[in-house]
């Protein structure tokens, strides 16, 4: 199951990259750019009752204005001694003065064994450009569970992002 999800994420990113046309005269976080990304967490500082977990996410977004990215997210979360959980989320990122540092906020809906959990989240991260479009994105995050505080998570997420401008 994990290999299938990872293959799906890589395929999604490759498909988006092949259909995009690049223009280099726009700022890195300029209005009109399309964002495609994938991330992995499981490097928790301490949460989820010290159980091992790993979270794989696929993200997509659109720069609605300079420095403001609207995001959608689909995640698969595996926690030790439980079945995997799929979540859907939405949020936004604000990039500070084109330097790559971003602040994020949003929410996720987890279906934990037919027990829906609404989780607001906040994050701070950095988009380090490897070239004009591809980034490595380390991020600190906090997902707050509204059902049970023990299900809240915080930690480090590592991702890769592709910023594309479609004409």
């Amino acid at each position: 199951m994990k290999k299938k999800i990872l293959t799906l994420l890589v395929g999604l990113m490759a498909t988006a990259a092949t259909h995009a046309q690049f223009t280099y005269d726009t700022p890195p976080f300029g209005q009109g750019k399309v964002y495609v990304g994938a991330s992995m967490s499981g490097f928790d500082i301490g949460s989820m009752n010290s159980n091992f977990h790993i979270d794989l996410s696929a993200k997509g977004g659109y720069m609605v204005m300079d420095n403001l990215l609207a995001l959608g997210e689909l995640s698969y979360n595996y926690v030790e001694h439980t079945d995997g959980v799929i979540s859907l989320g939405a949020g936004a990122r604000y990039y500070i003065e084109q330097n790559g540092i971003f602040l994020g906020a949003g929410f996720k809906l987890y279906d934990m064994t037919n027990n829906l959990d609404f989780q607001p989240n906040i994050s701070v991260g950095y988009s380090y450009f490897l070239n004009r479009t591809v980034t490595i994105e380390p991020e600190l995050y906090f997902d707050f569970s509204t059902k049970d505080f023990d299900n809240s998570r915080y930690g480090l997420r590592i991702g890769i992002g592709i910023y594309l401008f479609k004409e």
Side-chain angles (χ1 to χ4, degrees):
M1 179 71 174
K2 292 177 198 174
K3 289 181 181 179
K4 288 180 184 178
I5 291 174
L6 187 57
T7 303
L8 178 68
L9 293 176
V10 170
L12 176 68
M13 290 177 62
T15 301
T18 58
H19 289 294
Q21 298 174 7
F22 305 111
T23 59
Y24 298 116
D25 56 346
T26 60
F29 306 110
Q31 181 178 0
K33 285 204 173 182
V34 174
Y35 171 81
V36 178
S39 63
M40 182 180 79
S41 64
F43 317 106
D44 291 349
I45 298 166
S47 62
M48 293 294 290
N49 297 324
S50 299
N51 288 333
F52 169 79
H53 91 92
I54 190 165
D55 186 18
L56 300 171
S57 300
K59 300 176 183 179
Y62 182 76
M63 288 284 187
V64 294
M65 57 187 271
D66 285 355
N67 300 328
L68 184 62
L69 176 67
L71 278 171
E73 180 178 352
L74 175 65
S75 298
Y76 174 76
N77 187 7
Y78 169 78
V79 179
E80 189 176 31
H81 308 299
T82 64
D83 292 332
V85 177
I86 293 179
S87 68
L88 293 173
R93 282 185 185 172
Y94 179 74
Y95 293 87
I96 301 172
E97 297 184 16
Q98 304 290 326
N99 64 8
I101 296 173
F102 62 84
L103 304 173
F107 67 91
K108 292 181 183 178
L109 292 174
Y110 282 90
D111 185 11
M112 301 167 73
T113 61
N114 297 325
N115 185 9
L116 197 61
D117 189 7
F118 176 77
Q119 293 189 348
N121 58 63
I122 57 172
S123 62
V124 60
Y126 180 70
S127 294
Y128 176 76
F129 279 87
L130 299 174
N131 61 28
R132 290 187 172 266
T133 57
V134 179
T135 59
I136 298 292
E137 300 177 338
E139 179 179 11
L140 295 174
Y141 68 93
F142 179 67
D143 294 341
F144 177 76
S145 175
T146 57
K147 290 258 185 203
D148 182 5
F149 187 75
D150 287 338
N151 289 332
S152 297
R153 288 187 304 281
Y154 54 96
L156 175 65
R157 181 180 297 133
I158 303 293
I160 186 166
I162 302 173
Y163 293 82
L164 308 167
F165 189 80
K166 293 186 93 170
E167 294 187 281

